[in-house]
Structures are given as C-alpha cells and as structure tokens.
Amino acid sequence: MRVLGIETSCDETGVALYDSERGLLAHTLFSQVAMHAEFGGVVPELASRDHVRKLVPLIRKVFDMAEVPFGEVDGVVYTAGPGLIGALMVGASVARSLAWTWDVPALGVHHMEGHLLAPMLEDRPPRFPFVALLVSGGHTMLVDVQGVGQYRILGESLDDAAGEAFDKTAKMMGLPYPGGPMLSKLADQGKPGVFEFPRPMVDRPGMDFSFSGLKTAVRLKVAEHAVDETVPEEVMADIACGFQEAVIDTMVIKCRRALKETGHRALVIAGGVSANRRLREKLAAMAEERHCKLFYPRLEFCTDNGAMIAYAGCQRLLAGQRSDLGIEVRARWPLDSLEAVHD
C-alpha cells in the first residue's frame, strides 16, 4: 500500500510518501521558524495561511522526488489533532479533497501516535511492547505501548510540557526564538553542578511530571546574579546547564520507574525534545544500566514531519480503518482513546 502523509499541526508543513513494502519513498518539510521569529512565538493565523501557500507545491514535490506519477496512491492520511485548529483544517481539507479526487480512502491520524511510531521508520525498529517517552513542546508523557493503538498512559505533565518549559525559560532569559534549541545550545557551554535546581516530583511515587516551577527557580537565580541588570554570559550558560540537567534528570528518573513497573526491556523516546543530545546520553546510560535497549528516530524525524504521519496512517489503513467524508480535527485528543490495531 502506498500512502501520502500530510502534517500541518503547528508551524511545519510536512509531506511524505510511504510504501508498506518499500518503506519511505520520499519526504519534504518546510519550517515557518523564520516567519514566527519576529513575533517570538507561533502566530496561529499566520501558520494556517502559510500552510495554504506551501502544502500543494510540497505535495507535487514529494511525488517528483519519489518518481511516482501524481496521484498514484492507495490512501491519503493527515494529522487530525491535537494541534492548532486552523493549521489542522488546512491539511485535512487538502487531504480529503485529494482522496475524493483520486477515489482513495482518507484517514485522520493522531499527531502523537505519529511521533510514537517514528522510530519504526529506522532500519532497526523497536518491537512491541515497549515504554515510550513522548516529549515535545506540547506534550510530555510516558506510555506503555503494547501495539499500534494499544496505549496506557503511565504519567504525563500536570502543567508545562518539557519543551514548553525550555521555550518559556529561554524567553525569560532573553534568548532568541526558537528558545528551546537556543537554551540547549547555551547549556552545552555551561558547567554541570554550578547551579542545582530541584527535580520536580521525584520525591513522591508515580510517573507524572511538573516543570512550571523550574521557571521560577531560574528567574530567581538570574535576578540573584544580575549586575546592573546584566548577567555575565558564563553565568547564564551555567544556569542554562543547571536547568537542562534538572529537566533531563527528572525524565530519566521517571523512565526508570516506568521500565521497572512494566518490566519492558525497550525504551523509545520521540518528539522534538528527543533530539536533545544530553537527554539521549543520560537515557542511554540508564538503559545500559538496566540492560534495556534505547530507540529514537533520526534527527529529521524528531520534529514534526510527514513521514511519521504517513507511516502511522498506513498501519491503520492496512487494518481497514477509514474516516468518513466529514472533516473533523481536534485541538485536544487523548492518546489512549485511539482504536487498537490488531494483527
């Protein structure tokens, strides 16, 4: 089965062609980061308009890249949520129109299921069951994964997601947009241990997260070391390093608990923050200590992309799932409410 996948949940337009027998045929991505940088964050209306401009040309481009005649697919899948409603509507409308024109089925895909299954695009994919740490700008959760659509939420953020905490802290520190990657880059220049920030909720049982309080801790530390309203660059780097270590240590501790509770021998990390080098290092060390295997997608599939949507949608189309002719998108959509796909 050959599937066209479309991702427009936020500020990146992703398109891909996936074949169930040949694998990923081609994918392309356009990021709106430069446009939104002027405003210090994503402007939903501008994001929607740019998806309108970019989506059809990118679809034509991906068919050309794959050397597949335009429209020769067996299905069209698209991100139906969670995400920005206007942005989701653009992708859903185009996908439904193409599916109707080409007389093929269409299916709305859960954005976070796409991230969760992104490591399946690698040469050595994980096998079910496994624990998944989904960590991005909008979500942080630990999931017991028994199969496609067979998800049990073990823990999630009670306030800010990890990526959101990175972005907000970076903005508070005066770093340019996009803040999260800039903070990580600054943290790599700092010295671990100079500033110790709390590891939230690790002193109580459970696997939920809370990162909002770290922002306050950082703000107080910045104010404490400011001289004439300016903090020396090396001090800022050390503060960024301390913040990053606190967030990562918290996630590592909760992942260790999840592996112990489930008894699984494999851990998947996915989502935009999974590209963080320090997070990968610490999770790899923890996995080795527990004699577990660690899996993650290649860097280009950590952020939002069409390939992960094409893969996830293909698995559901193969199982006979279809969306009706109506267009339904959701700003919020619980991951554990999805229909299971059985072999």
Side-chain angles (χ1 to χ4, degrees), residues 213-230:
L214 283 174
K215 301 194 303 291
T216 302
V218 170
R219 178 176 58 79
L220 294 174
K221 194 62 66 175
V222 169
E224 179 184 334
H225 289 80
V227 179
D228 296 329
E229 299 185 356
T230 302

Side-chain angles (χ1 to χ4, degrees), residues 19-36:
D19 189 287
S20 57
E21 295 184 0
R22 298 168 56 196
L24 184 63
L25 303 180
H27 72 98
T28 186
L29 181 74
F30 178 81
S31 175
Q32 303 174 3
V33 165
M35 178 178 68
H36 296 291

Side-chain angles (χ1 to χ4, degrees), residues 175-193:
L175 298 177
Y177 179 86
M182 298 302 295
L183 191 151
S184 293
K185 188 176 296 186
L186 180 62
D188 288 342
Q189 302 170 23
K191 298 183 289 294

Side-chain angles (χ1 to χ4, degrees), residues 57-71:
L58 289 178
I59 292 172
R60 292 190 178 277
K61 179 180 178 180
V62 84
F63 275 98
D64 290 341
M65 292 169 62
E67 298 182 345
V68 172
F70 189 69

Side-chain angles (χ1 to χ4, degrees), residues 230-242:
T230 302
V231 180
E233 187 173 335
E234 62 272 17
V235 175
M236 289 291 275
D238 291 340
I239 291 174
C241 181

Side-chain angles (χ1 to χ4, degrees), residues 23 81 96 116 188 217 268 283 318:
R96 294 299 328 206
L116 189 153
D188 288 342
V268 162
L283 283 176
L318 286 170

